[in-house]
């Protein structure tokens, strides 16, 4: 049973057709990359599957549930940079997020450990490196121990060290059994991190499937931008 199954999703903003009849399945336990250049519809797609946006047409099931029954606590999301307080510690920032999600200290400790931030949990957020800040954001998305983690371009704006840290964290979280769905405009990133991919161009699905199969297609190399970070 796929974790996410999209059927003919379409979305238009005024004159802009952001997505056209997009259908694909995300198998359980995979790291699924939604790959495409800027403006291809990645953020719109993730917005729809997290119920932030409504599709004009089509439907989808997430964790086998239609929209009305969807249990948001089983989904962790990082769609934009969270507003962390610079003068509070990593722990205090997570405490605020945990309070909103009604999670306790044990859950904060758990996600700090996963993100490799236990030793620095009491340092002020403003002293964190870019990679640490993003790892804290992913830790926050992991509060509540969701089955599925949805990330929009999680390495965007990071330095090379931060990119490596965040990619390693994503692989580690996937190894713990969670399904990860992440947008990326970098072919290299998808090759390095993802097991499966859906390729969008101008709101249309070009290809989807295991990276090892899709990658051997000749047209694949034209689609994403390569960046050797
Ligand atoms: P990026 O990497 O730049 O975020 P993307 O692949 O995530 O790109 P979207 O942000 O989903 O793509 O945008 C798809 C198309 O829809 C683009 O042409 C974009 O300009 C347009 N679009 C997105 N949001 C809106 C909006 N709120 N109003 C009007 N047009 C929008």
């Amino acid at each position: 049973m796929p974790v996410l199954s999209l059927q003919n999703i379409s979305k238009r903003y005024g004159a802009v057709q952001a997505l056209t009849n997009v259908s694909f399945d995300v198998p359980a336990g995979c790291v699924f990359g939604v790959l495409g250049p800027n403006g291809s519809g990645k953020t719109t797609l993730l917005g729809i599957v997290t119920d932030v946006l409504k599709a004009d047409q089509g439907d989808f099931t997430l964790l086998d549930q239609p929209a009305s029954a969807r249990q948001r606590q089983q989904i962790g999301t990082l769609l934009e940079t969270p507003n962390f307080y610079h003068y509070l510690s990593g722990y205090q920032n997570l405490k605020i997020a945990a309070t909103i999600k009604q999670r306790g200290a044990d859950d904060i400790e758990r996600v700090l450990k996963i993100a490799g931030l236990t030793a620095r949990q009491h340092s002020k957020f403003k002293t964190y490196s870019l990679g640490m800040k993003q790892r804290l954001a992913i830790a926050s998305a992991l509060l509540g121990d969701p089955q599925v983690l949805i990330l929009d371009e999680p390495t965007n704006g990071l330095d090379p060290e931060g990119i490596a840290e965040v990619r390693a964290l994503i692989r580690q979280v996937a190894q713990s059994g969670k399904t990860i769905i992440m947008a990326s405009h970098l072919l290299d990133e998808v090759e390095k991190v993802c097991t499966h991919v859906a390729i969008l161009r101008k709101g249309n699905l070009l290809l989807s499937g295991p990276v090892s199969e899709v990658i051997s297609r000749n047209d694949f190399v034209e689609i994403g931008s390569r960046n050797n970070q």
Side-chain angles (χ1 to χ4, degrees):
M1 186 67 69
V3 160
L4 170 68
S5 183
L6 300 175
Q7 295 107 29
N8 295 312
I9 295 284
S10 295
K11 175 76 180 173
R12 171 184 283 277
Y13 302 102
V16 179
Q17 186 70 41
L19 294 170
T20 307
N21 284 329
V22 174
S23 305
F24 60 79
D25 285 349
V26 174
C30 74
V31 182
F32 195 98
V34 179
L35 175 67
N38 288 347
S40 56
K42 305 181 296 295
T43 299
T44 300
L45 188 73
L46 296 192
I48 289 170
V49 302
T50 52
D51 295 324
V52 173
L53 294 171
K54 201 167 166 6
D56 299 332
Q57 287 172 47
D59 205 357
F60 71 97
T61 53
L62 186 53
L63 293 171
D64 207 24
Q65 294 167 330
S68 56
R70 218 128 45 213
Q71 292 179 18
R72 303 276 316 243
Q73 64 267 32
Q74 293 178 354
I75 321 290
T77 59
L78 179 55
L79 299 186
E80 52 190 41
T81 310
N83 287 321
F84 287 128
Y85 292 94
H86 287 231
Y87 287 91
L88 295 183
S89 68
Y91 183 91
Q92 288 168 321
N93 271 294
L94 282 185
K95 181 96 168 55
I96 293 168
T99 302
I100 294 165
K101 291 187 181 181
Q102 299 181 305
R103 308 299 300 183
D106 53 338
D107 204 30
I108 299 174
E109 280 165 31
R110 186 185 63 80
V111 298
L112 280 165
K113 194 170 172 198
I114 293 168
L117 290 169
T118 305
R120 290 291 306 277
Q121 63 180 303
H122 299 304
S123 305
K124 286 189 171 64
F125 179 76
K126 66 174 186 141
T127 68
Y128 282 12
S129 67
L130 290 173
M132 290 169 73
K133 287 176 177 168
Q134 187 68 335
R135 284 190 279 135
L136 190 74
I138 293 172
S140 181
L142 288 169
L143 286 166
D145 204 15
Q147 290 180 47
V148 183
L149 192 58
I150 300 180
L151 310 168
D152 193 0
E153 307 227 21
T155 62
N156 237 12
L158 300 184
D159 50 22
E161 195 183 348
I163 290 171
E165 289 171 15
V166 166
R167 288 178 182 171
L169 176 57
I170 291 169
R171 286 191 209 99
Q172 178 197 327
V173 171
Q175 276 166 13
S176 75
K178 297 190 192 303
T179 304
I180 297 175
I181 303 169
M182 56 178 273
S184 178
H185 64 275
L186 299 171
L187 176 55
D188 266 7
E189 179 154 276
V190 168
E191 285 177 303
K192 285 179 179 150
V193 180
C194 300
T195 57
H196 293 68
V197 64
I199 302 170
L200 293 179
R201 186 188 273 168
K202 294 181 182 165
N204 292 286
L205 180 73
L206 287 190
L207 290 167
S208 71
V211 170
S212 56
E213 287 173 22
V214 172
I215 219 161
S216 61
R217 301 267 305 245
N218 287 338
D219 42 2
F220 185 76
V221 289
E222 299 168 19
I223 291 153
S225 48
R226 282 193 183 268
N227 178 331
N228 285 319
Q229 282 176 323

